[in-house]
Amino acid sequence: MSRAIPPGSRQAAARPGRSAPLSRSEADIASLTYRDAGVDIDAGDALVRRIAPLARATARAGTIGGIGGFGALFDPKAAGFKDPVLVATTDGVGTKLKLAIEMGRHATVGIDLVAMCVNDLVVQGAEPLFFLDYFATGRLSVEETATVIGGIAEACREAGCALVGGETAELPGLYATGDYDLAGFAVGAAERGALLPAPDVGAGDVVLGLASSGVHSNGFSLVRRIVAAGGLGWHASAPFAPGQTLGEALLTPTRIYVRSLLAVHRAGLIKAAAHITGGGLVGNLPRVLPAGTVAALDAAAWTPPPVFGWLARTGGVAPEEMLRVFNCGIGMAVVVAAEKAEAARQRLEAEGERVVAIGRIEPGTGEASVAIAPPPGWFG
C-alpha cells in the first residue's frame, strides 16, 4: 500500500541501476497513492463502520457471524428448514437511480433493490433468508452511500431476511462523480414439496391482483423520456399526486409482498404467483402458467393509479405499450383455486394488501398467454 509524502517534503530517490536522482515528474509518479487515483480506502473503512449496525439489525435465525469477513455463512437448519431447496435471485433498480441522483434523494432506492429481488423469491414459494448488495460509484460519499444502504437494511427487515454483506466499489473513470449503480442478490429457501407454481394450475382457477404502490422500478427509461417531453422538472408539483413533487411521487418505492404471500402460501391457499415487473401482466403472468392455458383478465375490474394515466397522456403512449411496459396498478398476480379465492382474498387483505379478482385461467392452445384489453378511457 502506498503512503503519501506530505507536500514539500519529497526527496529525490535513486532508482536501482542508476546513480542519478529521479526527476521531479518521476518523483511525483513514485509517490502517487490510491487516493490520488480516485479511491479513498479511509472512506471505505468509515462506511463499513457506519453500516455495520444497520446490518446487525437485520439478523435472523440462521445467520452466522457478521459483516467484514471474506464471505457470509447461513444455516438453513437453524432457520427451521428440514429438506430445503435454495432459490437465488439477482436484480437492480435500473434508471430509476438517475432520478434519485438528480433529486438528491437516496433513502428509498435501496428498498426498491431488495423488493425487486425478494418479490422474485417469494413467487417461487421461497422464504428470503439473506441478501447481499453491490454498490459501485465514481467517488465514494460515505453519507450518501450509508443512506442507500440504510434503505436496503430497512427493506431486509420488512422482508425478514438478513443483510449479510456486500461490496462497495469506488471506480473512478468508469462512473462519473455523483453517479452510482446498485445490484442485489437474495437467497431464499422452500421445503422441497412447497415450491411454486403448484403442478395443478389450470382452467377454472381465479387470478387475484395485488395493488402496486405505483410504477415500482421498471420502465424508468420511458418515464424519464416522457417527463423530458412534458417539460416538467423533478421539483414541479406532480399532476397526479397533490402535495408531492414529481420526483418524490415517482420515487415511491416498490412494494414488498413477502409477508403477505408467505402467509397465504403457508395456509395452502395459492397455486402460483407472478411478480409483475418489466413486461407487465402480459409478459410475467404466463411464466407461472402451464402450456395450453390463457389468463383471461378483465381490465375493468381495477383502475390504474393516476400516475399511469398521466404517463400515457403526456407521452402519447398506446394502451398496449403501457400494458407491456408497466404494472399498471397490479404489482403481484396470484392464482388460486376458485373455491379458495374468497379465503385467499380475506387473508391477503388481513395482511395489508389491496386485492381484486382480475380474471380466470381458461383453456388455450400452445404456450401460456394472457388475454387483456384495457377499457376505453382506462388511461384517460
Side-chain angles (χ1 to χ4, degrees), residues 273-286:
H275 184 201
I276 309 306
T277 55
L281 282 159
V282 295
N284 287 286
L285 186 50

Side-chain angles (χ1 to χ4, degrees), residues 65-362:
I67 65 172
F70 288 100
L73 305 178
F74 193 92
D75 182 0
K77 186 176 181 180
F81 289 91
K82 297 178 175 61
D83 185 21
V85 174
L86 296 181
V87 183
T89 63
T90 183
D91 212 330
V93 182
T95 57
K96 190 175 186 178
L97 289 177
K98 288 296 292 182
L99 171 54
I101 291 166
E102 290 170 13
M103 284 287 293
R105 299 176 69 96
H106 309 283
T108 59
V109 288
I111 299 174
D112 286 300
L113 181 68
V114 175
M116 296 302 289
C117 293
V118 297
N119 286 342
D120 280 354
L121 283 182
V122 74
V123 299
Q124 296 174 90
E127 175 187 342
L129 300 178
F130 57 87
F131 187 87
L132 300 98
D133 68 273
Y134 175 80
F135 181 100
T137 185
R139 183 169 184 174
L140 184 63
S141 163
V142 173
E143 185 68 30
E144 184 178 285
T145 308
T147 300
V148 172
I149 296 175
I152 292 173
E154 176 186 341
C156 284
R157 289 194 297 272
E158 183 178 344
C161 63
L163 176 59
V164 296
E167 167 70 1
T168 302
E170 193 170 18
L171 304 173
L174 188 58
Y175 294 94
T177 298
D179 281 348
Y180 61 84
D181 197 11
L182 285 173
F185 312 88
V187 173
E191 295 293 358
R192 193 172 299 275
L195 291 166
L196 295 176
D200 61 343
V201 174
D205 290 338
V206 172
V207 182
L208 302 178
L210 279 56
S212 68
S213 57
V215 181
H216 285 183
S217 297
N218 299 102
F220 268 82
S221 293
L222 179 56
V223 169
R224 292 168 56 244
R225 186 77 173 265
I226 291 170
V227 171
L232 284 180
W234 298 125
H235 296 280
S237 296
F240 53 86
Q244 289 187 292
T245 68
L246 181 58
E248 288 170 345
L250 289 171
L251 281 173
T252 300
T254 305
R255 184 165 179 80
I256 295 174
Y257 299 96
V258 169
R259 295 186 188 276
S260 57
L261 281 187
L262 285 178
V264 292
H265 181 37
R266 288 166 176 165
L269 295 174
I270 67 172
K271 292 186 176 186
H275 184 201
I276 309 306
T277 55
L281 282 159
V282 295
N284 287 286
L285 186 50
R287 297 167 66 180
V288 300
L289 302 179
T293 61
V294 56
L297 305 185
D298 178 13
W302 81 97
T303 301
V307 59
F308 296 106
W310 180 82
L311 288 169
R313 292 190 305 272
T314 305
V317 184
E320 296 75 18
E321 182 72 0
M322 292 292 298
L323 283 168
R324 199 166 67 94
V325 175
F326 300 112
N327 66 64
C328 294
I330 302 296
M332 186 72 70
V334 179
V335 181
V336 301
E339 65 273 16
K340 295 182 178 180
E342 181 58 23
R345 182 189 65 79
Q346 290 180 9
R347 185 62 182 268
L348 287 164
E349 289 179 345
E351 295 291 333
E353 303 294 350
R354 289 182 290 133
V355 187
V356 62
I358 62 174
R360 283 183 173 269
I361 307 302
E362 298 180 352

